[in-house]
Amino acid sequence: MDNTLKLESTIEEKQYIVVNIGVEQYGIDIGYVDNIVRMQKITRVPKSQKYFHGVINLRGEIIPVMSLRKRFGLEGDIFTDKTRIIILKPEQQEPIGIIVDVVKEVVTLGSGEIDKVPSDGRDDIAKYICGVGKNNGGLISILNIGNVIGDNQQ
């Protein structure tokens, strides 16, 4: 009976912050999340990529902020009282902020609840998704943070 418990514990579970961008739900591995802040004044940086809004000063640290909507090729951001900037701190990289429409909840998904997504490389958004999680009858596209922020680091 002890062996059964050990086998069950080998299923890898991770926590994800579920956010909305438009009507779509996306999951961000909580291990990357350093902070979630309300929308604030963003200082524009000349000659930056079109999906970068600029930088913010967060407790004395200058953090670049990008729009996931623009990154995914969607319509521009509409800022509301629910708009948030999620500060991501990937390993071996400087922090970066991403703008999301709504932060919904934190969910725990086991590896058996996430399906890999085949990508043919033609769909722009597909390269930013590493899987689709199933939670309470809904689907959550799991973001590949490395690809989302990867080619920004110059």
Side-chain angles (χ1 to χ4, degrees):
M1 194 151 171
D2 288 338
N3 290 343
T4 307
L5 293 175
K6 287 180 185 172
L7 287 175
E8 288 177 8
S9 67
T10 60
I11 295 175
E12 187 177 335
E13 287 190 335
K14 282 189 177 180
Q15 289 188 309
Y16 297 91
I17 291 183
V18 178
V19 301
N20 276 24
I21 299 168
V23 295
E24 297 295 323
Q25 289 192 117
Y26 295 92
I28 300 170
D29 184 333
I30 205 164
Y32 291 111
V33 177
D34 185 54
N35 205 341
I36 299 174
V37 297
R38 292 185 179 275
M39 197 61 203
Q40 56 187 272
K41 182 180 183 309
I42 298 175
T43 304
R44 189 86 186 118
V45 176
K47 298 186 180 183
S48 60
Q49 294 97 330
K50 65 182 180 194
Y51 48 84
F52 267 101
H53 270 286
V55 295
I56 60 171
N57 182 343
L58 186 63
R59 293 183 293 278
E61 187 175 8
I62 303 300
I63 298 176
V65 176
M66 68 185 295
S67 164
L68 283 187
R69 283 177 168 266
K70 288 183 181 177
R71 182 72 163 146
F72 294 167
L74 304 173
E75 71 280 356
D77 292 288
I78 300 165
F79 302 125
T80 69
D81 61 336
K82 295 183 183 201
T83 303
R84 297 290 182 266
I85 300 172
I86 298 181
I87 309 301
L88 303 174
K89 203 159 193 178
E91 293 177 25
Q92 313 294 314
Q93 292 184 9
E94 294 297 314
I96 186 168
I98 58 172
I99 299 170
V100 299
D101 295 344
V102 178
V103 175
K104 291 186 67 173
E105 62 185 332
V106 175
V107 298
T108 301
L109 298 175
S111 53
E113 297 171 291
I114 299 175
D115 294 334
K116 296 290 179 207
V117 178
S119 176
D120 59 8
R122 287 183 284 194
D123 185 0
D124 278 347
I125 295 180
K127 66 184 171 190
Y128 303 123
I129 307 297
C130 61
V132 175
K134 298 178 277 273
N135 184 53
N136 295 334
L139 297 177
I140 302 167
S141 298
I142 307 297
L143 291 178
N144 181 331
I145 297 301
N147 285 355
V148 170
I149 66 172
D151 53 356
N152 306 337
Q153 308 298 324
Q154 295 188 7

